[in-house]
Amino acid sequence: NGVTLPKVVAAPAAAMLVAALAVSGVLVGPAARPAAPRSAPHALSMAAAGESFSVGVLALQGGFKEHLSAVERQAGVTGVEVRTPADLASVDALILPGGESTAQGHCIVEASMLKPLQEFAASKPVWGVCAGMILLADGLKQSEPQALVGGLHATIERNAFGRQIDSRFRSMSLQGSAAAAGVSEAAYFIRAPAVAECGEGVEVLATLPDGETAVAVRQDNLLATCFHPEISGDDSWLRFFLSTVAGRDLDEAEPHPDLTTVAPWQPLPRPDSAVDTAVKRAFAVFQQGGVIMDVVDGEQARIAEEAGAVAVM
């Protein structure tokens, strides 16, 4: 059909994915994805408080329910589950939630959502969280090819902090507009990616305390974070997205519920402390509709499957 595939060395499974997507006319990976037209910097419409404003959450796989709950706590903002192009066309802004980015890529293609998502991200506010950051990136470091929404001029490294045992509630150092907004300086990092390289127009909003590793960035209408504020008892990053990125004038929000009643059903640990039960439970939440590869015993399998995921020992 005339599609030129990127020059990559891929394992058989990845090669099958490349072939399947090529047959469907889908370009895979940063080398094959044409640059989407960009909106003028900061040319986002301001929505006054009291006007209707809808925020979609891509609901194909992963921890989308926690984002929807957070959105619904914001006065004057409505959350919408986005599964089809028609759903996407109905919202003013979008959140790409955490989960399994490869599985999400498959789902996006099967749902005929790739092109609509790319067009949406070219001009409207989008926040990519963890796996969502991977989907927003223009490139991935040392990674097999997959379907990407793209648009964020950055290269992202998957699993930059190691395996699940290395997941933590980590502290950060804020910079720029994030520091001015006073957003939270700690959050859960669950098998998190990291920003390996920033391109033109990308503002670094947060790094690890070493000041070197970028974990939150913004480019015009796009926000991307490696971490999960939605399970960290923290709506400040969501409100930053709505106010600073999407241009929404915000009213007061409902208080966050007790952390023992919502995922990950544990009080917040001390930042940078060792892995705890909350991290294990949170990982299961983000794999809903995907596959867990780090399950090693029956108890972990039970936690995973009760969260709606598939456990593989």
Side-chain angles (χ1 to χ4, degrees):
N1 61 0
V3 174
T4 302
L5 296 178
K7 295 180 179 180
V8 296
V9 178
M16 291 175 63
L17 172 60
V18 171
L21 296 182
V23 169
S24 302
V26 175
L27 301 178
V28 180
R33 182 185 182 278
R38 304 301 300 167
S39 59
H42 309 295
L44 304 179
S45 61
M46 297 295 291
E51 294 179 0
S52 175
F53 191 81
S54 60
V55 177
V57 182
L58 189 66
L60 300 177
Q61 189 275 332
F64 56 87
K65 291 187 294 184
E66 287 68 31
H67 282 289
L68 286 166
S69 296
V71 168
E72 291 291 348
R73 287 194 291 271
Q74 314 307 311
V77 182
T78 302
V80 178
E81 293 186 8
V82 172
R83 293 189 173 91
T84 68
D87 294 336
L88 183 63
S90 72
V91 301
D92 301 303
L94 181 69
I95 298 173
L96 303 177
E100 209 296 305
S101 61
T102 305
Q104 290 182 359
H106 280 293
C107 292
I108 287 169
V109 171
E110 289 297 321
S112 300
M113 288 286 287
L114 186 59
K115 184 176 180 181
L117 284 169
Q118 290 172 342
E119 292 174 347
F120 190 99
S123 61
K124 293 188 178 181
V126 181
W127 177 18
V129 177
C130 196
M133 169 185 269
I134 292 171
L135 292 175
L136 275 183
D138 278 344
L140 304 179
K141 181 179 179 180
Q142 297 177 344
S143 177
E144 293 180 355
Q146 74 160 83
L148 298 175
V149 175
L152 178 66
H153 304 329
T155 301
I156 305 300
E157 180 181 1
R158 298 176 183 271
N159 297 330
F161 299 85
R163 295 174 62 82
Q164 173 64 5
I165 194 66
D166 299 307
S167 295
R168 296 285 189 279
F169 184 74
R170 297 181 185 273
S171 56
M172 301 173 279
S173 176
L174 301 180
Q175 300 182 18
S177 56
V183 296
S184 177
E185 298 179 305
Y188 279 111
F189 287 65
I190 312 293
R191 292 199 71 160
V195 181
E197 182 179 351
C198 290
E200 183 180 356
V202 177
E203 175 193 6
V204 175
L205 301 176
T207 68
L208 293 183
D210 62 13
E212 299 292 330
T213 306
V215 295
V217 294
R218 178 192 176 188
Q219 176 192 306
D220 298 334
N221 57 300
L222 305 179
L223 174 66
T225 62
C226 302
F227 46 86
H228 294 276
E230 78 280 5
I231 63 162
S232 304
D234 170 32
D235 287 348
S236 65
W237 282 93
L238 171 60
R239 292 178 69 80
F240 176 83
F241 172 64
L242 294 174
S243 61
T244 303
V245 180
R248 174 76 187 178
D249 291 332
L250 296 177
D251 293 324
E252 291 297 319
E254 296 177 11
H256 195 285
D258 188 298
L259 288 176
T260 62
T261 67
V262 293
W265 309 283
Q266 293 280 119
L268 290 179
R270 203 169 32 84
D272 307 310
S273 58
V275 66
D276 63 8
T277 302
V279 168
K280 297 177 183 178
R281 289 177 171 174
F283 182 59
V285 168
F286 300 128
Q287 294 303 308
Q288 293 182 91
V291 176
I292 291 183
M293 302 304 294
D294 278 357
V295 171
V296 297
D297 58 36
E299 176 61 16
Q300 290 185 8
R302 181 189 64 77
I303 293 172
E305 288 166 5
E306 285 183 354
V310 178
V312 177
M313 290 192 183

